[in-house]
Amino acid sequence: MLNTRTYNALLRRSIKKSNARKLADTDLTLGELLKFSEKQLEKYLPANEVRTVYYYLRGTLPPDVLERREYRKTIRQVFRNSGFAKVNSVSDKEFTFKERPGDIDDVYVYENVIILLEYTCAASSNLSDHVLKKKVLFDYIHNNKVDFIEFFKDKFPSFKEALDEKYQSSQFELRILYCSKNNVSHEHKAHLPNVIFFDFSILQYFLSISSIIKSSSRFELFNYLGIEYSHIGKRMLKGSMGGTDDFQGHILPEEHSSFKTGYKLVTFYIDAGSLITRAYVLRKEGWNNYDGLYQRMIIKSKIEKMREYLHEEKRVFINNIIVTLPTNKIALRDREGKVIKLKDLHQKMPVTIQIQEGFNLIGLVDGQHRVYAYHEGEDKYSTKISSLRAKQNLLATGIIYPSNTLEEERLKFEAQLFLEINANQASAKSDLKNSIRLLLDPFATISIATATGYLLSIQGPLVSHLKQNFYEKKKLPTTSIVQYGLKPIVKLGGNDSLFLVWNNPRKEELKDGKDNDLLKEYREFCASEINKLLIGYKKNIPKELWTTDQKKSKFITVTSVNGLVNCLRLLIENRKTGEIEYYEERLRDIAKFDFKAWKSSQYRKLGQCLYNEFFK
């Protein structure tokens, strides 16, 4: 007989009617059902419903459902911050396009830009099936963009309403984003050549910058999506191939600046809006790989204080901004409007600087907070700053490279200039300086250690546990690991260095600092040898304790990692290194070791203790 009281209580917990009726038919009370395990619920419910009901009974959602919900919320926040509008009533709705059934998880629109998003939290090992299921539909959409837009407008009135009527279907820029919380292999990505992969690390990067500079982050997002400046909004309607803006200034040849031959300095005024559209911080593409590339942190609290200053004082910042200018995107003209050839310039003179429209053209070497204080925001200062953004001009000192300067040379120049400007500033953190040194002097010991740390973060037991980007949370900071763990063990000499046990017959040539291939091989050898010990260590740690959550475990901390690396130094010194199986056997009782008793200043002593207890 149906227990009405229990039935109604189950419905209030969002349990669907069929399952609520089955449980209420047992005549059990809600309190009795709450004591049931998942196994006991299987007696009354279909197997595929048990887990959800078990959590709904307790007024919560299953962990995997919560994970998907939180992941989707994070991605939505990025697009909302960046000024995109979410299309209502289309998410997860089934449709059939060109006889291929499917659905889109979310659709976002900005002017004539349409973003179709696919979300998944599936484990990396299960992504192959998910990717292949989406391939045919995504290929159809990409190859039939206009047909799809017309079909989607007919299918979903809310989508039609979200699109501005002034754009023809052929004038829309459509992108498909595949958003996976877990790593998608290059092999699987190759199956979807027409899809942009919004990897988790990329998502975290854009979440960080969009939460600080809000709608102004859309310019970098457009650049990541591969959308040309001239293809967005009113520029698309005008059929513009890209215009230029004029700025007044003075140019200084190298004879008056002491820069290398061919490098010119130009001082000019530029409005904040024009600069934000074209700017990048220190380097292009904050989502790119590590080797020689680094991202200067944009500090939210600093931006907020500067916005308050702009709002209250209503005047421009006095200090000049240091920028780099792309030779192929600018033109210099004299008072008569004639183009000035840089190679013929040997005296100071007033100039008009013509800078093309576009994304990621002007490098901000110093002063990024003063620039981004003018960002398009949603705070109480936005209305006033909106009027200042186009009106107030910032004083900029621009560096113009010789036309034949390679990208690598430009990066090194900007990095060196940054170090010179910030040499005595605490704001330039050690991990950032290490990344810059990796670019400027890759053969230095600290650079080898930094590169080895990166390799440990992408392969081996510490994958997803080492912090490599400023926007990553709940990961181990790498600065102390690089300085006190890796630097001593990768040095090019000594009886406790991996250099000693590296069997490359040409290894002494590495000290000449010339062979990049040899350097790469040594970095990889160092990471491989350290990973052997770490893998043997991990195999003896219970799975639930392999976490950086120090409330749950002390087995993955800066202290434990540095202790193990220092132990490896002693193993090298005493000729006791081995393979994974050897370390696994030796460390079979490591789970009983009390890492909590050790402090961060005791790395060397901890290494000695581990050696004495497990290897001596």
Side-chain angles (χ1 to χ4, degrees), residues 399-410:
I399 300 162
I400 304 174
Y401 298 110
S403 57
N404 59 350
T405 305
L406 300 176
E407 179 70 12
E408 182 182 357
E409 292 175 355
R410 288 199 294 270

Side-chain angles (χ1 to χ4, degrees), residues 470-568:
F470 73 86
Y471 47 81
E472 293 175 318
K473 310 296 183 184
K474 298 180 181 178
K475 292 189 178 184
L476 298 186
T478 55
T479 305
S480 293
I481 292 175
V482 168
Q483 184 67 35
Y484 301 109
L486 300 178
K487 184 181 175 183
I489 203 170
V490 302
K491 60 183 183 290
L492 304 183
N495 60 0
D496 62 346
S497 168
L498 286 166
F499 190 76
L500 180 71
V501 293
W502 186 33
N503 290 323
N504 190 304
R506 296 178 51 238
K507 67 180 185 180
E508 290 298 325
E509 296 177 25
L510 193 60
K511 297 177 181 179
D512 297 334
K514 297 178 180 178
D515 194 328
N516 287 307
D517 290 334
L518 192 62
L519 174 62
K520 181 183 177 184
E521 186 178 334
Y522 180 60
R523 290 171 176 174
E524 292 172 348
F525 170 78
C526 290
S528 175
E529 289 301 303
I530 295 169
N531 269 334
K532 288 177 183 178
L533 175 61
L534 292 174
I535 292 170
Y537 170 65
K538 181 182 178 182
K539 285 177 175 288
N540 289 293
I541 304 298
K543 186 177 181 180
E544 66 274 12
L545 296 180
W546 194 255
T547 172
T548 54
D549 186 346
Q550 295 193 33
K551 293 179 180 178
K552 298 178 180 179
S553 172
K554 293 290 183 180
F555 290 109
I556 313 181
T557 64
V558 172
T559 300
S560 62
V561 171
N562 277 349
L564 287 163
V565 173
N566 274 278
C567 177
L568 182 56

Side-chain angles (χ1 to χ4, degrees), residues 304-521:
E304 289 172 346
K305 288 179 181 177
M306 289 185 170
R307 284 176 72 79
E308 182 180 6
Y309 170 87
L310 286 173
H311 182 268
E312 298 300 327
E313 302 299 332
K314 303 178 181 64
R315 61 172 180 251
V316 72
F317 299 110
I318 297 173
N319 308 58
N320 63 327
I321 310 297
I322 309 297
V323 304
T324 57
L325 298 172
T327 310
N328 61 334
K329 300 291 183 180
I330 66 168
L332 300 177
R333 297 183 181 274
D334 62 20
R335 287 176 174 173
E336 285 73 41
K338 296 178 181 178
V339 175
I340 301 170
K341 293 182 179 180
L342 290 176
K343 65 178 181 178
D344 298 331
L345 182 67
H346 299 289
Q347 61 182 4
K348 295 178 285 184
M349 62 182 299
V351 293
T352 296
I353 307 159
Q354 293 181 324
I355 306 178
Q356 289 184 19
E357 296 177 326
F359 306 127
N360 280 30
L361 300 179
I362 300 177
L364 296 176
V365 178
D366 188 57
Q368 71 271 22
H369 290 96
R370 278 167 276 152
V371 174
Y372 286 116
Y374 289 89
H375 72 77
E376 298 174 41
E378 303 166 349
D379 57 18
K380 60 185 178 182
Y381 310 125
S382 295
T383 302
K384 172 58 68 176
I385 290 177
S386 176
S387 64
L388 299 178
R389 191 162 43 247
K391 183 172 67 174
Q392 290 191 348
N393 284 272
L394 299 169
L395 176 61
T397 297
I399 300 162
I400 304 174
Y401 298 110
S403 57
N404 59 350
T405 305
L406 300 176
E407 179 70 12
E408 182 182 357
E409 292 175 355
R410 288 199 294 270
L411 282 170
K412 286 185 176 181
F413 180 86
E414 290 178 23
Q416 184 62 53
L417 189 60
F418 171 82
L419 282 181
E420 291 173 4
I421 293 170
N422 294 278
N424 298 313
Q425 292 187 22
S427 60
K429 297 189 174 183
S430 296
D431 53 353
L432 175 63
K433 289 182 178 179
N434 287 345
S435 297
I436 294 174
R437 290 190 185 102
L438 177 60
L439 172 63
L440 296 176
D441 188 7
F443 290 87
T445 302
I446 191 66
S447 298
I448 297 173
T450 300
T452 302
Y454 172 78
L455 293 174
L456 293 175
S457 76
I458 62 170
Q459 58 189 34
L462 296 182
V463 167
S464 302
H465 295 302
L466 291 180
K467 181 176 180 178
Q468 288 295 323
N469 301 293
F470 73 86
Y471 47 81
E472 293 175 318
K473 310 296 183 184
K474 298 180 181 178
K475 292 189 178 184
L476 298 186
T478 55
T479 305
S480 293
I481 292 175
V482 168
Q483 184 67 35
Y484 301 109
L486 300 178
K487 184 181 175 183
I489 203 170
V490 302
K491 60 183 183 290
L492 304 183
N495 60 0
D496 62 346
S497 168
L498 286 166
F499 190 76
L500 180 71
V501 293
W502 186 33
N503 290 323
N504 190 304
R506 296 178 51 238
K507 67 180 185 180
E508 290 298 325
E509 296 177 25
L510 193 60
K511 297 177 181 179
D512 297 334
K514 297 178 180 178
D515 194 328
N516 287 307
D517 290 334
L518 192 62
L519 174 62
K520 181 183 177 184
E521 186 178 334

Side-chain angles (χ1 to χ4, degrees), residues 78-312:
V78 168
F79 283 90
R80 184 170 61 251
N81 288 344
S82 301
F84 284 76
K86 181 177 176 293
V87 180
N88 296 319
S89 305
V90 300
S91 300
D92 303 314
K93 297 294 178 64
E94 293 285 339
F95 60 84
T96 300
F97 178 62
K98 293 190 179 294
E99 301 183 355
R100 183 69 185 183
D103 67 278
I104 302 296
D105 289 339
D106 267 336
V107 179
Y108 277 86
V109 173
Y110 179 90
E111 291 284 350
N112 65 321
V113 177
I114 301 171
I115 309 296
L116 310 181
L117 294 117
E118 174 68 28
Y119 309 133
T120 179
C121 291
S124 295
S125 57
N126 298 328
L127 282 172
S128 177
D129 290 342
H130 190 264
V131 167
L132 292 176
K133 284 178 183 177
K134 299 294 178 179
K135 174 176 172 55
V136 177
L137 177 62
F138 287 168
D139 284 348
Y140 279 160
I141 293 173
H142 178 270
N143 294 329
N144 302 274
K145 183 191 79 170
V146 173
D147 288 349
F148 176 77
I149 292 173
E150 290 297 323
F151 160 79
F152 220 61
K153 285 195 291 187
D154 291 339
K155 180 72 176 176
F156 300 105
S158 59
F159 177 70
K160 183 177 181 179
E161 292 171 9
L163 302 183
D164 195 317
E165 294 181 351
K166 66 175 175 276
Y167 299 110
Q168 301 296 318
S169 292
S170 60
Q171 293 177 311
F172 283 97
E173 290 285 330
L174 186 146
R175 296 293 186 273
I176 304 170
L177 260 65
Y178 188 93
C179 310
S180 173
K181 188 172 183 181
N182 296 302
N183 184 54
V184 184
S185 70
H186 292 297
E187 178 185 357
H188 293 151
K189 287 181 179 180
H191 289 300
L192 296 174
N194 302 317
V195 170
I196 298 169
F197 287 87
F198 209 53
D199 296 338
F200 190 67
S201 61
I202 296 169
L203 165 64
Q204 293 301 309
Y205 172 78
F206 279 107
L207 178 63
S208 177
I209 65 166
S210 69
S211 67
I212 299 173
I213 62 172
K214 300 299 181 180
S215 294
S216 293
S217 63
R218 71 181 181 275
F219 304 119
E220 186 157 10
L221 190 55
F222 288 146
N223 191 49
Y224 178 74
L225 296 172
I227 302 175
E228 295 289 337
Y229 185 84
S230 58
H231 291 180
I232 299 171
K234 62 183 181 181
R235 295 168 191 82
M236 166 62 77
L237 294 175
K238 291 179 180 179
S240 170
M241 295 304 291
T244 62
D245 289 320
D246 292 356
F247 306 97
Q248 302 306 312
H250 286 76
I251 193 162
L252 189 70
E254 60 270 37
E255 291 92 337
H256 298 276
S257 68
S258 298
F259 275 90
K260 291 190 294 184
T261 301
Y263 286 73
K264 315 294 185 184
L265 282 186
V266 59
T267 300
F268 61 103
Y269 286 98
I270 180 170
D271 64 276
S274 296
L275 188 50
I276 287 174
T277 304
R278 296 169 167 86
Y280 64 91
V281 180
L282 261 180
R283 67 169 179 84
K284 299 179 184 176
E285 299 155 357
W287 54 85
N288 246 330
N289 291 329
Y290 85 105
D291 201 0
L293 299 177
Y294 47 87
Q295 176 63 35
R296 178 80 193 278
M297 189 183 300
I298 298 174
I299 303 170
K300 186 175 184 178
S301 59
K302 199 168 182 178
I303 293 284
E304 289 172 346
K305 288 179 181 177
M306 289 185 170
R307 284 176 72 79
E308 182 180 6
Y309 170 87
L310 286 173
H311 182 268
E312 298 300 327

